[in-house]
Amino acid sequence: MDRLLHLDRTLDELDLPCWTPPPPDATRLVRKVHELRRVPLGELGPADLRTLISQQVALPYVLPLAVRLLLKEPLLDAYFYEGDLLLAAVNAPASAWALLPGLGARLCTVITTLPAAAVADLPRGAAEELALFAARPEPPRSGSVH
């Protein structure tokens, strides 16, 4: 989780190129994402992380922040419902997780220890999404033998 060393920096500073301002007719969501790119990483809350992950923005920087929260509280209610941050994270593209060796494995461990009753209380299809994520093979680490 070495990307957490930059908690005082913004996504516009770390995830180049810096984004231009949104167009005047941009949707509320687009304006929100642009605004979040100018917030220091350490000030992003769970709802902000869920928004950025759901929109697939700067995933190498925001996924570690989300996992840090999820390791403590897997079914954290970020904004919409209990477990929404977890479901946003597991639905991030496999290519993003491949850039973060070991982080996905830590999240899998959390997922596999969730009580069945808690998973059953999540929205329809959530149990399947969690199972698919947990079943993903861990990408090989650089320098490993195949």
Side-chain angles (χ1 to χ4, degrees), residues 11 16 27 34 59 67 71 74 77 79 84 87 90 95 116 139 142 145:
L11 291 174
L16 299 175
T27 65
H34 277 259
L59 293 175
V67 171
L71 292 175
D77 180 344
Y79 189 74
D84 59 351
L87 291 173
V90 301
S95 58
S142 57
V145 179

Side-chain angles (χ1 to χ4, degrees), residues 73-133:
E73 190 178 346
L75 297 177
L76 175 71
D77 180 344
Y79 189 74
F80 290 116
Y81 53 85
E82 193 173 44
D84 59 351
L85 181 60
L86 177 61
L87 291 173
V90 301
N91 284 303
S95 58
W97 287 106
L99 297 173
L100 303 163
L103 199 60
R106 293 181 73 188
L107 192 56
C108 282
T109 300
V110 168
I111 290 168
T112 58
T113 60
L114 288 173
V119 173
D121 286 341
L122 295 174
R124 185 183 335 191
E128 292 79 10
E129 292 171 21
L130 295 174
L132 282 172
F133 183 85

Side-chain angles (χ1 to χ4, degrees), residues 13-95:
E13 293 173 302
L14 297 167
D15 184 47
L16 299 175
C18 182
W19 286 16
T20 59
D25 62 344
T27 65
R28 182 174 167 265
L29 177 60
V30 168
R31 288 192 309 271
K32 179 68 175 176
V33 170
H34 277 259
E35 174 188 312
L36 291 174
R37 286 187 55 88
R38 295 188 308 271
V39 174
L41 293 181
E43 294 177 23
L44 293 172
D48 302 328
L49 295 172
R50 190 206 53 78
T51 297
L52 290 165
I53 292 168
S54 296
Q55 296 304 307
Q56 298 185 14
V57 174
L59 293 175
Y61 296 98
V62 296
L63 282 172
L65 294 169
V67 171
R68 180 174 70 167
L69 295 174
L70 293 169
L71 292 175
K72 295 177 188 171
E73 190 178 346
L75 297 177
L76 175 71
D77 180 344
Y79 189 74
F80 290 116
Y81 53 85
E82 193 173 44
D84 59 351
L85 181 60
L86 177 61
L87 291 173
V90 301
N91 284 303
S95 58

